[in-house]
Coordinates of all heavy atoms in Angstrom, one line a residue:
V144 N 54.8 -7.5 37.0 CA 54.1 -7.7 35.7 C 55.1 -8.4 34.7 O 56.1 -7.7 34.4 CB 53.5 -6.4 35.1 CG1 52.8 -6.8 33.8 CG2 52.6 -5.8 36.1
P145 N 54.8 -9.6 34.3 CA 55.7 -10.2 33.3 C 55.9 -9.4 32.1 O 55.0 -8.7 31.6 CB 55.0 -11.5 33.0 CG 54.2 -11.8 34.2 CD 53.7 -10.5 34.7
N146 N 57.2 -9.4 31.6 CA 57.6 -8.7 30.4 C 57.8 -7.2 30.6 O 58.2 -6.5 29.6 CB 56.7 -8.9 29.2 CG 56.7 -10.3 28.8 OD1 57.7 -11.0 28.7 ND2 55.5 -10.9 28.5
D147 N 57.6 -6.7 31.8 CA 57.8 -5.2 32.0 C 59.2 -4.8 31.9 O 60.1 -5.5 32.4 CB 57.2 -4.8 33.3 CG 55.8 -4.2 33.2 OD1 55.2 -4.4 32.2 OD2 55.3 -3.6 34.2
T148 N 59.5 -3.6 31.4 CA 60.8 -3.0 31.4 C 60.8 -1.9 32.3 O 59.7 -1.5 32.9 CB 61.1 -2.5 30.0 OG1 60.2 -1.4 29.6 CG2 61.1 -3.6 28.9
S149 N 61.9 -1.2 32.5 CA 61.9 0.0 33.4 C 61.0 1.1 32.9 O 60.5 1.8 33.7 CB 63.4 0.5 33.5 OG 63.9 0.8 32.3
T150 N 60.9 1.2 31.6 CA 59.9 2.2 31.0 C 58.5 1.9 31.4 O 57.7 2.8 31.8 CB 60.1 2.3 29.5 OG1 61.4 2.6 29.2 CG2 59.1 3.3 28.9
D151 N 58.1 0.6 31.4 CA 56.8 0.2 31.8 C 56.6 0.5 33.3 O 55.5 0.9 33.7 CB 56.6 -1.3 31.6 CG 56.6 -1.7 30.1 OD1 56.0 -0.9 29.3 OD2 57.3 -2.7 29.7
L152 N 57.6 0.3 34.1 CA 57.4 0.5 35.6 C 57.2 2.0 35.9 O 56.4 2.3 36.8 CB 58.6 0.0 36.3 CG 58.6 0.1 37.9 CD1 57.3 -0.5 38.4 CD2 59.8 -0.5 38.5
I153 N 57.8 2.8 35.1 CA 57.6 4.3 35.3 C 56.1 4.6 35.1 O 55.4 5.3 35.8 CB 58.5 5.1 34.4 CG1 59.9 5.1 34.9 CG2 58.0 6.5 34.3 CD1 60.9 5.8 34.0
K154 N 55.6 4.0 34.0 CA 54.1 4.2 33.7 C 53.2 3.6 34.8 O 52.2 4.3 35.1 CB 53.8 3.5 32.3 CG 54.5 4.2 31.1 CD 54.2 3.4 29.9 CE 55.0 4.0 28.7 NZ 54.8 3.1 27.5
R155 N 53.6 2.5 35.3 CA 52.7 1.9 36.4 C 52.7 2.7 37.6 O 51.7 2.7 38.4 CB 53.2 0.4 36.6 CG 53.0 -0.5 35.5 CD 53.1 -1.9 35.8 NE 53.1 -2.7 34.5 CZ 52.0 -2.9 33.8 NH1 50.9 -2.5 34.2 NH2 52.2 -3.6 32.7
L156 N 53.9 3.4 37.9 CA 53.9 4.2 39.1 C 53.1 5.5 39.0 O 53.0 6.2 40.0 CB 55.4 4.5 39.4 CG 56.2 3.4 40.1 CD1 57.7 3.7 40.1 CD2 55.6 3.0 41.4
K157 N 52.5 5.7 37.8 CA 51.6 6.8 37.7 C 50.2 6.5 38.2 O 49.4 7.3 38.4 CB 51.5 7.2 36.2 CG 52.7 7.9 35.7 CD 52.6 8.3 34.2 CE 53.9 8.9 33.7 NZ 53.9 9.2 32.2
N158 N 50.0 5.2 38.5 CA 48.8 4.7 39.1 C 48.9 5.0 40.6 O 49.9 4.6 41.3 CB 48.7 3.2 38.9 CG 47.5 2.6 39.6 OD1 47.3 2.8 40.8 ND2 46.7 1.8 38.9
K159 N 48.0 5.9 41.1 CA 48.1 6.4 42.5 C 48.2 5.3 43.5 O 48.9 5.4 44.5 CB 47.0 7.3 42.7 CG 47.1 8.1 44.0 CD 46.0 9.1 44.2 CE 46.2 9.9 45.5 NZ 45.1 10.9 45.7
Q160 N 47.3 4.3 43.3 CA 47.3 3.2 44.3 C 48.6 2.5 44.4 O 49.1 2.2 45.5 CB 46.2 2.2 43.9 CG 46.1 1.0 44.9 CD 45.1 0.0 44.5 OE1 44.3 0.2 43.6 NE2 45.1 -1.2 45.2
I161 N 49.2 2.2 43.3 CA 50.5 1.5 43.3 C 51.6 2.3 43.9 O 52.4 1.9 44.8 CB 51.0 1.1 41.9 CG1 50.0 0.0 41.3 CG2 52.4 0.5 41.9 CD1 50.2 -0.3 39.9
A162 N 51.6 3.6 43.5 CA 52.7 4.5 44.0 C 52.5 4.7 45.5 O 53.5 4.7 46.3 CB 52.6 5.9 43.3
E163 N 51.3 5.0 46.0 CA 51.1 5.2 47.4 C 51.3 4.0 48.3 O 51.8 4.1 49.4 CB 49.6 5.7 47.7 CG 49.4 7.1 47.1 CD 50.3 8.2 47.7 OE1 50.5 8.2 48.9 OE2 50.9 9.0 46.9
T164 N 50.9 2.8 47.8 CA 51.2 1.6 48.5 C 52.7 1.4 48.7 O 53.1 1.0 49.8 CB 50.6 0.4 47.7 OG1 49.2 0.6 47.6 CG2 50.8 -0.9 48.5
A165 N 53.4 1.6 47.6 CA 54.9 1.5 47.7 C 55.5 2.4 48.7 O 56.3 2.1 49.6 CB 55.5 1.6 46.3
K166 N 55.1 3.7 48.6 CA 55.6 4.7 49.5 C 55.3 4.4 51.0 O 56.1 4.8 51.9 CB 55.0 6.1 49.1 CG 55.5 6.6 47.8 CD 54.7 7.9 47.4 CE 55.0 8.4 46.0 NZ 54.2 9.5 45.6
N167 N 54.2 3.8 51.3 CA 53.8 3.6 52.6 C 54.2 2.3 53.2 O 54.0 1.9 54.4 CB 52.2 3.7 52.7 CG 51.7 5.1 52.5 OD1 52.3 6.0 52.8 ND2 50.5 5.2 51.8
S168 N 54.9 1.5 52.4 CA 55.4 0.2 52.8 C 56.6 0.2 53.7 O 57.4 1.2 53.6 CB 55.7 -0.7 51.6 OG 54.5 -1.0 50.9
D169 N 56.8 -0.8 54.5 CA 58.0 -0.8 55.4 C 59.2 -1.3 54.6 O 60.3 -0.9 54.9 CB 57.7 -1.8 56.6 CG 56.6 -1.3 57.4 OD1 56.8 -0.3 58.2 OD2 55.5 -1.9 57.4
F170 N 58.9 -2.2 53.6 CA 60.0 -2.7 52.7 C 59.5 -2.6 51.3 O 58.4 -2.9 50.9 CB 60.2 -4.2 53.0 CG 60.5 -4.5 54.5 CD1 59.6 -5.2 55.2 CD2 61.7 -4.1 55.1 CE1 59.8 -5.5 56.5 CE2 61.9 -4.4 56.4 CZ 61.0 -5.1 57.1
I171 N 60.5 -2.1 50.5 CA 60.2 -1.9 49.0 C 61.2 -2.7 48.2 O 62.4 -2.4 48.4 CB 60.2 -0.4 48.6 CG1 59.2 0.4 49.5 CG2 59.8 -0.3 47.1 CD1 59.7 1.6 50.1
F172 N 60.8 -3.6 47.4 CA 61.7 -4.4 46.6 C 61.4 -4.1 45.1 O 60.3 -4.1 44.7 CB 61.5 -5.9 46.8 CG 61.5 -6.3 48.3 CD1 60.4 -6.8 48.9 CD2 62.8 -6.3 48.9 CE1 60.5 -7.1 50.3 CE2 62.9 -6.6 50.3 CZ 61.7 -7.1 50.9
I173 N 62.5 -3.9 44.4 CA 62.3 -3.6 42.9 C 63.2 -4.6 42.1 O 64.4 -4.7 42.3 CB 62.8 -2.1 42.6 CG1 61.9 -1.1 43.4 CG2 62.7 -1.9 41.1 CD1 62.3 0.3 43.1
N174 N 62.5 -5.2 41.2 CA 63.1 -6.2 40.4 C 62.8 -5.8 38.9 O 61.8 -6.0 38.4 CB 62.4 -7.6 40.6 CG 63.3 -8.7 40.8 OD1 63.2 -9.3 41.8 ND2 64.2 -9.0 39.9
I175 N 63.8 -5.0 38.4 CA 63.5 -4.5 37.0 C 64.9 -4.4 36.3 O 65.9 -4.3 36.9 CB 62.9 -3.1 37.1 CG1 62.1 -2.8 35.8 CG2 63.9 -2.0 37.4 CD1 60.9 -3.6 35.6
G176 N 64.8 -4.5 35.0 CA 66.1 -4.4 34.2 C 66.4 -5.7 33.4 O 67.1 -5.6 32.3

């Protein structure tokens, strides 16, 4: 999501779909900071 900070990403991971999709993935990439 454009303009997101690390604080915003924490909030987005409270979304169950996003969190579960990430956890179940074979590869997880994080671009934040």
Side-chain angles (χ1 to χ4, degrees):
V144 180
N146 297 316
D147 262 15
T148 64
S149 57
T150 301
D151 295 317
L152 181 52
I153 286 175
K154 292 175 184 175
R155 294 196 190 282
L156 284 170
K157 290 178 181 176
N158 179 307
K159 189 175 180 181
Q160 181 184 347
I161 295 174
E163 291 302 313
T164 300
K166 290 173 189 177
N167 293 325
S168 293
D169 299 288
F170 308 110
I171 304 131
F172 306 112
I173 298 178
N174 231 120
I175 204 71

